[in-house]
Amino acid sequence: MGWTTADIPDLSGKIAIVTGGNGGLGLEVARELARKRAHVVIAARDAAKSAAARAAITTDIADASLDVRSLDLASLDSVVEAAAAILDAHRVVDVLVNNAGVMATPEQQTNDGFEMQFGVNHLGHFALTALLWPSLLRSDAPRVVSVTSTGRHFGPAVNPDNPHLKGGYDPWRAYGQSKLANVHFALELDRRIRDAGLPAKSVVVHPGFAKTDLQARSVRESEGGRSQRFFHDAVRRTGMTPARAALSLLRAAIDPEAEGGTLYTPRWVNWGPPVRRPLLRRSRDRAAMATLWEVSEGETGIVFDVEPAS
Ligand SMILES: NC(=O)c1ccc[n+]([C@@H]2O[C@H](COP(=O)([O-])OP(=O)(O)OC[C@H]3O[C@@H](n4cnc5c(N)ncnc54)[C@H](OP(=O)(O)O)[C@@H]3O)[C@@H](O)[C@H]2O)c1
């Protein structure tokens, strides 16, 4: 039967932040963490969707302990504001689930001029993690979860001379770049954590195919793009429910046995219960990880020093 929500221990006293916790997989992660008595901060963009998510969770779990914080990952100002509000409210953060994402959207820029998918899926999360790091380090067992996709296999590692893919933009290549960046960030963060001898863990997840708004949004934003429609139809027919697909994220976020620097995915790549899977050599390219870290610090202007100053 595999790992299920019944395996989630009591999380009383734990504080978890879930980006994009107002819909899709993020909503299911927020719901199950709240069910096990964690205090959950939904960090999300669309305020109406966030209010609906809060209502849905409290209808299900009357005593859920929830907070909603406005976060637009396409704006560094918003990331800085959200992080400041979270730091102000929570001296300690135990779990950060960097879940929010967009897929195969047309060429667009974030407020800071970043290519949208790289900006939202990776750079915004890099900045948020760096800014929340002091609170995470106050936890006994801090955990950061990054969410990748099979898209990582068809994306290039970030090119420091052209991180925003200027010229010949392709929406799937851009998604692939951002999702490979999610893996490289997770593994480089874990390497730095271990070098610093910290008790934190950074884990990466591919949730599998799930019927969420991800594919529908990519169809809407590409105005009915052919490949986006094809993928949307395929996931509608064969995808898992958001609740099932969220299990990989939940396992990576709270299973005490999960090790840092590992990948969780459904057993049959896009379907099935969450299991640990090996990382291909391309995902473990040390030079690409170091380059991504440098590019991320350069683009965001945020220096992410994993080792706390003594
Ligand atoms: N569904 C799948 O089959 C699948 C497969 C592989 C990987 N994934 C990954 O799983 C993660 C969750 O996706 P999902 O399937 O749950 O899709 P979803 O239903 O579309 O949810 C995406 C979430 O990201 C948020 N988001 C998008 N842009 C944002 C921004 N600029 N700032 C803050 N939040 C933003 C959305 O919030 P708003 O609506 O408020 O913008 C929403 O809560 C993504 O990282 C995706 O790449 C999904």
Side-chain angles (χ1 to χ4, degrees):
M1 182 174 169
W3 195 92
T4 70
T5 52
D7 294 298
I8 305 177
D10 176 64
L11 299 172
S12 300
K14 298 274 182 199
I15 310 238
I17 319 287
V18 184
T19 72
N22 63 357
L25 304 180
L27 170 57
E28 297 311 317
V29 171
R31 188 198 307 274
E32 295 311 319
L33 295 178
R35 197 186 304 285
K36 295 297 168 106
R37 310 191 72 76
H39 174 73
V40 180
V41 180
I42 292 176
R45 179 172 54 171
D46 181 324
K49 258 178 80 176
S50 295
R54 182 202 274 267
I57 295 175
T58 47
T59 302
D60 194 1
I61 309 150
D63 59 351
S65 178
L66 290 175
D67 229 341
V68 171
R69 298 275 167 196
S70 170
L71 168 72
D72 182 357
L73 290 158
S75 156
L76 282 178
D77 284 348
S78 169
V79 174
V80 168
E81 262 176 50
I86 293 169
L87 287 169
D88 207 34
H90 303 289
R91 207 182 150 269
V92 179
V93 169
D94 299 285
V95 181
L96 170 62
V97 183
N98 285 328
N99 155 78
V102 285
M103 181 184 78
T105 47
E107 187 163 19
Q108 296 165 66
Q109 270 72 45
T110 67
N111 288 6
D112 306 283
F114 307 151
E115 184 281 312
M116 184 62 77
Q117 298 186 71
F118 187 53
V120 169
N121 299 356
H122 168 65
L123 289 173
H125 283 129
F126 175 89
L128 184 69
T129 311
L131 295 167
L132 293 181
W133 198 239
S135 276
L136 281 154
L137 284 183
R138 289 191 197 105
S139 167
D140 296 341
R143 188 102 46 118
V144 177
V145 176
S146 299
V147 182
T148 185
S149 147
T150 43
R152 70 189 181 281
H153 298 305
F154 48 78
V158 73
N159 171 0
D161 297 326
N162 190 14
H164 302 298
L165 303 172
K166 297 224 164 80
Y169 177 83
D170 176 87
W172 290 105
R173 200 162 176 269
Y175 184 60
Q177 170 178 270
S178 74
K179 289 289 137 182
L180 184 57
N182 292 143
V183 179
H184 284 162
F185 170 60
L187 298 189
E188 180 65 12
L189 176 58
D190 201 72
R191 193 186 67 73
R192 289 178 187 230
I193 286 168
R194 277 181 286 110
D195 279 359
L198 298 168
K201 290 179 184 175
S202 165
V203 185
V204 62
V205 173
H206 159 56
F209 281 167
K211 295 179 222 184
T212 63
D213 194 41
L214 189 75
Q215 304 83 13
R217 185 192 295 242
S218 79
V219 171
R220 285 195 303 276
E221 294 205 2
S222 64
E223 295 174 0
R226 211 164 135 190
S227 56
Q228 285 86 349
R229 270 190 290 125
F230 172 80
F231 192 59
H232 180 237
D233 291 346
V235 172
R236 285 293 119 193
R237 280 199 309 274
T238 66
M240 293 184 285
T241 61
R244 250 182 101 62
L247 289 176
S248 291
L249 279 82
L250 286 160
R251 184 165 194 184
I254 54 85
D255 183 352
E257 306 280 303
E259 285 171 31
T262 57
L263 168 72
Y264 280 81
T265 80
R267 178 167 292 146
W268 301 286
V269 184
N270 285 317
W271 301 272
V275 294
R276 181 175 161 177
R277 279 270 165 225
L279 283 150
L280 301 182
R281 186 178 306 162
R282 191 164 176 265
S283 304
R284 295 184 276 111
D285 181 334
R286 284 285 305 275
M289 290 180 211
T291 301
L292 176 72
W293 200 278
E294 250 174 59
V295 168
S296 307
E297 289 190 332
E299 294 297 307
T300 61
I302 295 173
V303 174
F304 187 171
D305 205 350
V306 169
E307 187 155 10
S310 49

